[in-house]
Amino acid sequence: MRNLFAALSVLLLALGCGCGGGSRSNEPPPRQPDDSYEPARRGAPAESTASNSRFAQPPPGAEVEQRASEPETHESEAPAASSGRGAPPAAPSGSGWGGLGSDREAAEKGAPSARRADGAGSAAQRSAPMLEPPRERPGLATHWGEARYSPAHEVSFEREDASSATALAELRYNDRSGARRLLPNGHWGSGELTLLGGALRVRMLDANGRSFPALREGSRVVSMGEPGERYSLSIENRTGRRYEVVASVDGLDVLDGREASPDKRGYLVAAYSSVRIDGFRRSEQEVAAFRLGDVAHSYAASQGNARNVGVIGVAVFAERQPIVYAPRPGRPWEDTALRESADPFPGRYARPPAW
C-alpha cells in the first residue's frame, strides 16, 4: 500500500526562484517590513478561498464585524485578494487565538474571576489567591497573509523509499532577541542549509529575494526577522535527479494547513532548478503569504496548537529510478555470420495445425 500511495501525484510549483547566497558579516544588515503589507480594514470582505480539503483553510474570525463608530468601508476601497495587499485576520473581540480571554469568558467557563470593585463577595473568594492571567508568548510566528498568485499543478512522482525520507532538515526563526536566547554563542552568518552533501540548498528569503540574517552554531541555524515581514521558503536542486520536498511551517503542512507529516505529499523540485514556496496553499492558483507576527494571532494558534511555532521543516524524498535492461554484449563475428545467413522467407510452405 505504501508503494501504491507513493506513486500518487504531487504538486509542482510553477514559480522558480533566483539562486544567490548570503555572505557572512560581523553585523546583520538593518531590516524593515516591506511596503506591500497593509493592516486590514474593519468591515472589509474576507478573502475568498476554494472549499477544498486538499488545501489550507483560512483561520476562523477572518471576517470582522464593522464597528458602529467607524465609517462604512466601501467595496472599492477594500483590499482585493488579487492585488497582493491585505493582512492576517484580526482576533475575535475579547480574546486572542493564543488563549488570552476576558473575565467574562472566564466566568462563563467556571473559572475564578477578578473580585468586584466594591469588595463584595464571599469570604472564600476574598481569601482565594488571584490567578495570574496567561502571558502571551514572545517572539515571532507565521500569520495567514494576503493572497498571492502561485500556480501549481499535479505531476507523477514515485518515491525511492516510501517509508522514510532521504533527508530531513529544520530551520528555526525568531526576532533578534529570541534568536540570541536560542543560540547565545552563535555567530552571524548565512541562514541557508545544505542537504545531501550540497545537492539541495534550503533558504528563508525575504520579500526582495535575499536570505535572512541568521545566527549559526554548529549545524543549528536561527534566521532573524521583523514583525510584518513577508518571507518565502526556497529549495534549490543542484543535481540531475528529481526530488519531492514536504515542507512544514510552525508544525503545519504548507499544502493543507493541517498537522505536518512526512507521509503527506509535497512539491516537486526538478533537476537543476528551484522552487519557492510563498505561503499556505489556498488553491491551485493562490497561496496565503507567510507573514511574520505575534504568536497569539498566528495561523498555528488559530488552528488550536501554537506549540511548534518558530520552526520550518523539510523532508526530502528521492525519486525511484527506472530499471533499464542492458543485454550482455555478444561476439561481433557471430552476429555478422548470423546476419549474412538470415533468410527473409523462412517459412516457404504452410505448416499443419498443432491440434
Side-chain angles (χ1 to χ4, degrees), residues 89-152:
S93 176
S95 66
W97 288 326
L100 300 178
S102 63
D103 292 338
R104 179 179 298 178
E105 291 174 341
E108 291 175 352
K109 295 178 180 179
S113 60
R115 285 181 291 183
R116 294 171 52 184
D118 57 0
S122 64
Q125 288 178 333
R126 289 193 297 270
S127 61
M130 294 294 294
L131 294 179
E132 183 180 358
R135 296 179 180 178
E136 181 178 336
R137 288 180 58 182
L140 297 178
T142 299
H143 287 210
W144 176 277
E146 72 280 5
R148 295 185 61 84
Y149 179 68
S150 179

Side-chain angles (χ1 to χ4, degrees), residues 258-270:
R258 299 179 181 89
E259 185 173 321
S261 169
D263 294 334
K264 295 186 176 182
R265 303 316 304 247
Y267 287 95
L268 179 71
V269 188

Side-chain angles (χ1 to χ4, degrees), residues 12 33 87 158 186 188 212 266 308 316 319 342:
L12 169 63
E158 185 177 359
W188 303 113
F212 278 76
N308 300 305
V316 179
E319 185 176 20

Side-chain angles (χ1 to χ4, degrees), residues 208-233:
N208 297 317
R210 297 189 298 259
S211 296
F212 278 76
L215 285 178
R216 302 185 67 96
E217 185 177 336
S219 60
R220 301 184 64 189
V221 178
V222 182
S223 295
M224 294 175 290
E226 299 290 341
E229 277 193 289
R230 178 171 61 86
Y231 74 89
S232 60
L233 182 62

